[in-house]
Amino acid sequence: MNLAVFISGTGTNLKALIEAQKDKFFTSQIKAIVSNKEAKGLEFARLNHIAYLVSKDDDEILEFLKDYKIDLIVLAGYLPRISKKLINTYKIINIHPSLLPKYGGKGFYGRHVHEAVFENKEKTSGVTIHYVNENLDDGAIILQKKVDISGCKSVDDLADAILKIEHLSLKEVIKKLEVEN
Ligand code: GRF
């Protein structure tokens, strides 16, 4: 599959996908990267000579993607809501750092998820990778991985523990979907 990866932040999930591609963990190719801002993660696009666009404009994003015959968009820490137009044009998946539907929906993104999990003294959290529909964090779940966080002493510990599993889970889902594609 030809992949487009959308980011807004550090891009460690993007980095993990680039490394998985180099290691031939899957046959898919990351053809394009989109961000709504000059995100730190765009450094991985530049280092690996992957085309990227910084834009908040839907039409511009669609125009940019057109040339790459994208089979799947991967949201990896992408914060803006995805438009109906994009949802109707592409198959889209998202990675969320909790066991949805717990700690999902409005306001639950990135560190906010881990803060709420930690405050509630959860013993387990995890990662969810799901299809994207018009509702937030609501599409069909493709993969969920539970993580024992009983040993996490801080929100940072928790975020690190989950992120490690995210990196492993996302490449597994790409491998699974390319077989089905
Ligand atoms: C990850 O925790 C992901 O689950 C969430 O945003 C974070 C992105 O991290 N959606 P990175 O930009 O891939 O490092």
Side-chain angles (χ1 to χ4, degrees):
M1 299 183 292
N2 287 347
L3 306 176
V5 184
F6 285 29
I7 65 169
S8 297
T10 43
T12 64
N13 277 287
L14 167 63
K15 178 172 179 274
L17 286 181
I18 291 171
E19 283 166 4
Q21 177 183 319
K22 283 180 184 169
D23 297 345
K24 300 192 179 0
F25 181 84
F26 48 65
T27 57
S28 297
Q29 298 283 307
I30 301 165
K31 294 290 186 188
I33 294 165
V34 171
S35 182
N36 56 308
K37 63 180 189 176
E38 273 300 334
K40 190 163 171 285
L42 291 176
E43 192 48 34
F44 301 118
R46 288 187 281 270
L47 281 173
N48 293 280
H49 313 294
I50 302 170
Y52 68 90
L53 173 75
V54 178
S55 173
K56 292 188 173 119
D57 179 278
D58 225 33
D59 292 330
E60 199 177 14
I61 292 171
L62 282 160
E63 188 58 29
F64 168 67
L65 292 178
K66 228 166 47 180
D67 301 345
Y68 296 102
K69 298 182 181 45
I70 298 300
D71 301 297
L72 180 73
I73 293 177
V74 181
L75 306 184
Y78 187 69
L79 294 180
R81 285 300 293 270
I82 295 293
S83 69
K84 270 205 190 92
K85 213 189 276 185
L86 262 166
I87 290 168
N88 293 338
T89 311
Y90 290 103
K91 201 187 312 180
I92 308 174
I93 65 172
N94 179 52
I95 183 163
H96 184 83
S98 76
L99 294 171
L100 290 176
K102 291 177 78 176
Y103 303 101
K106 196 158 173 44
F108 285 108
Y109 59 90
R111 194 176 172 78
H112 299 291
V113 173
H114 305 308
E115 284 162 354
V117 166
F118 193 75
E119 264 154 48
N120 289 344
K121 298 185 174 35
E122 299 282 2
K123 292 281 172 273
T124 309
S125 188
V127 175
T128 303
I129 298 171
H130 62 95
Y131 285 107
V132 171
N133 62 22
E134 286 157 33
N135 308 316
L136 207 48
D137 298 332
D138 175 55
I141 290 174
I142 305 165
L143 176 80
Q144 274 194 319
K145 279 219 174 136
K146 279 201 172 86
V147 180
D148 174 0
I149 56 167
S150 52
C152 293
K153 300 277 178 283
S154 68
V155 174
D156 285 343
D157 271 1
L158 173 49
D160 289 349
I162 300 296
L163 204 51
K164 275 195 192 75
I165 305 300
E166 289 186 57
H167 296 161
L168 297 173
S169 308
L170 195 48
K171 66 181 186 179
E172 272 180 37
V173 163
I174 299 301
K175 190 171 183 151
K176 171 182 159 44
L177 294 184
E178 69 185 8
V179 169
E180 295 168 7
N181 190 42

